[in-house]
Amino acid sequence: MGKAGLAPRSLPWLLPWLMGAAAVVGVSAAALGLTRLLPPLRSADESFRDLTIAYFTPPAPQHPGVVLITLGEDLFSTLACRSPVDRGFLADLVGNLEKAGVRAIGLDILFDQPTVPALDDRLRRRIRDASVPVVGITALGDTPLTEEQRRYLGRFLDGIPNGHANLAKDRLDGTVRWHVPRAPDGTPSFPARLAMVAGAAIPAEPFRIDWLAGPGPGAPAFPAFPADAVPMLPRAWLAGRIAVVGTVLVGVDQHRTPLAVAGLSTPGVEIQAHVLAQLLDGRTSRSLPLRWEAALVVALAAAGVALAVAGLPMWLLVSASLLILFALWAAGIALFAHGGPLVALMAPSGAWLGGIAVMTAHLSLKERADRDSLMQLFANHVSQPVADEIWRERATFLAGGRPRPQELTATVLFSDIEGFTTVCEALEPEPLIRWLEGYLDAMVRIVAAHDGIVLRFIGDAILAVFGAPVARTTQEEIDADAERAVRCALQMGRELRALNQQWQAEGLPPIGIRIGIHTGPLVAGSLGGLRHMEYSLLGDTANTAARLEALGKTVARRSSTHSRIVIGDTTWAAVDGKVPGLPVGEMALKGKRKAVHTWLVLDEEEPQAVQPAKAGE
């Protein structure tokens, strides 16, 4: 029972933390999910990766294990057969590479059509009889070949190691970023087959290609030599490397990759070389692992929430958000450029901005709800300056969306109508309510004009307070509230002059009011729950004000023609010398042990009220 009773008290303290945690989790999940599911966000993320790879991949020496042997336009202009490639030249090329001591040879050339039979047989024998492994390429089922081409390709590659040269392209933009080491039917890829014959392990799952940069601007990542220059090359340039042979013709086997910038494209043979080098080295992509990316996203979402909670001015919040976002991107690029992992920054950026936006929106809605709740709690019967003060100082008395109980010194005003029974007898219910609403509306406007707060109506009675809910800290402030309450009571009596004239013209009897005012300590706070809550004053001061109002029935003298204003000695001490008044004497009030010194306030605008009372009055 004891533990259960503590839960409601703990809940308000936990709510901000729970809301913050929920915001972090929600924003993090959205940032990670949307950047992978929404095509525009994923495309932007991949484009950032591509630009970072193209411009900031750290330079490195040319790869020692792979060499490109290219078939370019200059070579094809000298060959007897351009397409299919001259098989006699290729046979000689394989022999020259074998003599140069290469580790293996990869022919990124599709042998799907016959040429001169003698040359075709010569090439096949050269490949099969070579002292080093020679790998060719085959075609998967989705490669556009005729049945005759497929049959010929199968016969040519019979007994020759091979792998498919199909490239995995992103469906969004056709860019090659990933590599699939094995096709669905189990056929290894061309670079995977080359790596296998070289003794390297092949991963089972697709992987991101870890693109290499050359030793300097414009320098290739691999040594590359024209095929017709191989016989003239020093043996040391080729020995021990895997030679990858392929075409580098414009518009032929060219593909979009992260290395291809400014509208350029990358030859397929170069792409195969990058994958082969990665397999030989056993490297994985330099992309930040998902678990670390998720941790970064959560951290930035939490940081964004914390920044929003800090309560900075909007201009400073926006400036700080953009500055830190810029720093995040600069740091991510610098990290990659210095050999660190490549951080995909769309999700972290979305988490950072999302955390700020979500928590700012939540705080804005909560602030609006709190303001509405406060204004509703005080029934909107407050002047704009008081409303602004209440909202400005809410942190000093608000807790959990409602005013916390507090001790303060304030002035309470309690008013009641003289002759209300006569009015009730003269009017039917509906006109009576309209008449009472008119009276109350006029009195509320006067209270608000004097910076008081009307807490509630009790039939025709009005309970108002001056100096709450923002606690006063000096005697001068407390005295100022007391003076405002007294001057408010005087104005309420004056307002009745015009109202009584109007009502008498309508055939209604005139009325007067009694007002009791007392200044003293109070316990103030909200009572009730979600269905009904009101701001309440507890303590002797409010009760004393009500009994001073009732005491007015026994005071013969009037404050003005239409009012009797009786105040306690603490209130009189604040207004003595500022408003005229007469001592009523020490009177024992119901419920109080000690007699209270009371005073009748006089309205100086009515001279007859200020004059001493005649005998018998």
Side-chain angles (χ1 to χ4, degrees), residues 44-104:
D45 206 17
E46 295 291 358
S47 296
F48 166 73
R49 286 176 180 265
D50 294 348
L51 290 173
T52 305
I53 291 170
Y55 290 106
F56 298 102
T57 299
Q62 289 183 323
H63 196 275
V66 179
V67 62
L68 291 179
I69 306 300
T70 61
L71 308 175
E73 190 61 46
D74 291 342
L75 171 65
F76 278 112
S77 64
T78 65
L79 296 180
C81 183
R82 180 184 181 95
S83 181
V85 182
D86 190 314
R87 303 287 165 80
F89 174 82
L90 291 178
D92 293 338
L93 177 60
V94 171
N96 290 328
L97 290 171
E98 183 182 359
K99 292 177 183 178
V102 297
R103 185 179 180 186

Side-chain angles (χ1 to χ4, degrees), residues 84 122 152 164 188 195 338 386 500 527 543 579 582:
R122 179 185 168 198
Y152 181 82
H164 72 85
H338 287 81
V386 171
N500 277 326
L527 296 177
N543 296 332
V579 297
L582 294 174

Side-chain angles (χ1 to χ4, degrees), residues 283-373:
R283 287 181 284 113
T284 57
S285 170
R286 291 172 59 197
S287 296
L288 191 69
L290 178 59
R291 63 181 182 277
W292 291 109
E293 182 184 354
L296 178 61
V297 164
V298 171
L300 285 170
V305 168
L307 182 65
V309 172
L312 299 177
M314 184 56 66
W315 69 269
L316 186 56
L317 177 64
V318 172
S319 300
S321 303
L322 297 179
L323 182 62
I324 295 176
L325 183 64
F326 175 79
L328 173 67
W329 282 67
I333 293 173
L335 178 66
F336 180 75
H338 287 81
L342 174 57
V343 182
L345 290 173
M346 286 301 296
S349 300
W352 166 250
L353 296 177
I356 294 172
V358 167
M359 185 51 62
T360 299
H362 166 70
L363 292 176
S364 177
L365 292 175
K366 183 177 182 299
E367 180 175 304
R368 180 179 300 178
D370 287 346
R371 187 180 183 94
D372 292 344
S373 177

Side-chain angles (χ1 to χ4, degrees), residues 394-418:
R394 64 190 182 279
T396 64
F397 67 90
L398 200 64
R402 60 190 292 172
R404 67 167 66 93
Q406 59 176 337
E407 293 183 359
L408 48 80
T409 300
T411 299
V412 178
L413 180 152
F414 192 87
S415 74
D416 202 0
I417 297 177
E418 297 175 338

Side-chain angles (χ1 to χ4, degrees), residues 96 134-135 192-193 221 297 357 364 406 433 456 485 536 541 567:
N96 290 328
V134 180
V135 175
R193 176 67 77 178
V297 164
S364 177
Q406 59 176 337
I433 294 299
R456 69 183 62 88
S536 297
T541 299
I567 66 177

Side-chain angles (χ1 to χ4, degrees), residues 187-510:
T187 304
S189 68
F190 174 59
R193 176 67 77 178
L194 276 170
M196 290 166 64
V197 300
I202 306 302
E205 299 297 326
F207 56 86
R208 276 190 180 272
I209 301 174
D210 185 32
W211 305 94
L212 297 175
F222 307 96
F225 306 109
D228 53 344
V230 169
M232 299 174 286
L233 297 176
R235 178 183 175 87
W237 291 10
L238 300 174
R241 300 174 185 262
I242 297 178
V244 184
V245 182
T247 61
V248 287
L249 298 173
V250 176
V252 177
D253 195 22
Q254 301 275 322
H255 308 275
R256 182 177 178 179
T257 69
L259 301 178
V261 294
L264 302 177
S265 55
T266 305
V269 66
E270 186 178 342
I271 297 173
Q272 308 291 9
H274 277 277
V275 176
L276 174 59
Q278 184 172 347
L279 292 172
L280 292 175
D281 298 342
R283 287 181 284 113
T284 57
S285 170
R286 291 172 59 197
S287 296
L288 191 69
L290 178 59
R291 63 181 182 277
W292 291 109
E293 182 184 354
L296 178 61
V297 164
V298 171
L300 285 170
V305 168
L307 182 65
V309 172
L312 299 177
M314 184 56 66
W315 69 269
L316 186 56
L317 177 64
V318 172
S319 300
S321 303
L322 297 179
L323 182 62
I324 295 176
L325 183 64
F326 175 79
L328 173 67
W329 282 67
I333 293 173
L335 178 66
F336 180 75
H338 287 81
L342 174 57
V343 182
L345 290 173
M346 286 301 296
S349 300
W352 166 250
L353 296 177
I356 294 172
V358 167
M359 185 51 62
T360 299
H362 166 70
L363 292 176
S364 177
L365 292 175
K366 183 177 182 299
E367 180 175 304
R368 180 179 300 178
D370 287 346
R371 187 180 183 94
D372 292 344
S373 177
L374 276 179
M375 293 303 101
Q376 184 177 17
L377 187 62
F378 296 110
N380 290 329
H381 303 319
V382 296
S383 64
Q384 191 59 46
V386 171
D388 293 340
E389 182 187 20
I390 290 174
W391 184 244
R392 186 172 58 251
E393 302 295 332
R394 64 190 182 279
T396 64
F397 67 90
L398 200 64
R402 60 190 292 172
R404 67 167 66 93
Q406 59 176 337
E407 293 183 359
L408 48 80
T409 300
T411 299
V412 178
L413 180 152
F414 192 87
S415 74
D416 202 0
I417 297 177
E418 297 175 338
F420 185 62
T421 302
T422 304
V423 176
C424 290
E425 293 173 350
L427 293 177
E428 295 295 325
E430 186 173 342
L432 174 63
I433 294 299
R434 285 200 303 269
W435 171 85
L436 185 58
E437 285 179 344
Y439 161 76
L440 293 176
D441 182 64
M443 298 301 108
V444 165
R445 281 189 284 104
I446 294 172
V447 172
H450 289 79
D451 294 340
I453 298 175
V454 174
L455 295 181
R456 69 183 62 88
F457 303 128
I458 308 170
D460 61 308
I462 298 173
L463 175 64
V465 63
F466 297 76
V470 181
R472 309 313 189 193
T473 57
T474 66
Q475 189 61 45
E476 289 77 8
E477 293 176 332
I478 295 171
D479 291 346
D481 287 328
E483 183 178 351
R484 280 192 288 270
V486 172
R487 295 196 181 280
C488 172
L490 290 170
Q491 186 60 38
M492 291 169 71
R494 295 164 189 166
E495 182 72 14
L496 280 179
R497 279 183 286 181
L499 289 176
N500 277 326
Q501 290 176 0
Q502 174 186 335
W503 293 332
Q504 285 181 318
E506 297 173 359
L508 296 172

